[in-house]
Amino acid sequence: MRTTKDRIRHTLGFELIGLAVLVTLISWLFDFNMHAIGPIAVFGSIIATIWNYFYNLLFDHFMLKRYGDVHKTLPMRVLHAFMFEGGLLILFLPMIAWYLSISLWQAFIMDITMAIFYLVHAFIYNWGYDKIFAIQKTSSQSKT
């Protein structure tokens, strides 16, 4: 499994890259200036960072207990990304509507757009991160 230091590096890299791209994309798509989108994106990033750390920790513990290994197959990566974004959608939707003074429907459309972006970002980032910072198999993982 990954160390705490590695999980923090993973989470910060994920959020910083995602935030830089997302603010520009959402501002352009929904015709809000970056000053309106920036604070909600940063707040969302903080929520997502905390969620990311604990979600990945729990997911890895589940995989280790269930499969004896934390390496993810393609279907497991897809499930991992969808579950992460679904949880974040539930946490973030009311905040978007309130902060931007938009309807829940408008916030839902914006949130779905962000979720789709982060779904793709999560898949690509996690795949790349696992390639660059490969997990070393332990002796207990090698036996399975």
Side-chain angles (χ1 to χ4, degrees):
M1 285 196 17
R2 295 194 179 277
T3 65
T4 298
K5 180 180 175 184
D6 187 37
R7 287 181 188 283
I8 291 169
R9 176 181 55 201
H10 171 272
T11 301
L12 290 176
F14 179 87
E15 289 305 324
L16 291 173
I17 292 168
L19 188 59
V21 175
L22 181 71
V23 169
T24 304
L25 180 67
I26 293 298
S27 293
W28 176 72
L29 284 175
F30 291 95
D31 199 28
F32 280 94
N33 67 46
M34 288 189 182
H35 296 289
I37 296 298
I40 194 71
V42 169
F43 185 68
S45 179
I46 292 166
I47 291 169
T49 299
I50 294 166
W51 172 239
N52 189 352
Y53 179 84
F54 289 106
Y55 173 78
N56 283 301
L57 182 64
L58 292 170
F59 200 91
D60 283 356
H61 278 288
F62 164 78
M63 287 192 62
L64 195 56
K65 184 176 182 179
R66 171 91 175 175
Y67 303 108
D69 193 2
V70 295
H71 290 86
K72 297 170 189 77
T73 62
L74 180 60
M76 189 60 70
R77 285 190 183 281
V78 171
L79 176 66
H80 177 266
F82 271 96
M83 288 176 58
F84 176 83
E85 290 304 327
L88 198 55
L89 183 80
I90 292 166
L91 292 170
F92 201 43
L93 181 66
M95 291 178 233
I96 293 171
W98 170 78
Y99 183 79
L100 295 174
S101 298
I102 58 178
S103 71
L104 283 174
W105 177 251
Q106 291 169 310
F108 177 74
I109 297 301
M110 187 179 284
D111 205 350
I112 288 295
T113 303
M114 290 188 283
I116 291 168
F117 164 77
Y118 271 111
L119 194 69
V120 173
H121 175 58
F123 182 85
I124 294 169
Y125 181 87
N126 286 317
W127 177 77
Y129 191 90
D130 286 350
K131 292 294 184 189
I132 294 167
F133 302 103
I135 300 171
Q136 302 300 316
K137 286 193 174 237
T138 64
S139 59
S140 65
Q141 290 173 331
S142 299
K143 295 176 186 176
T144 57

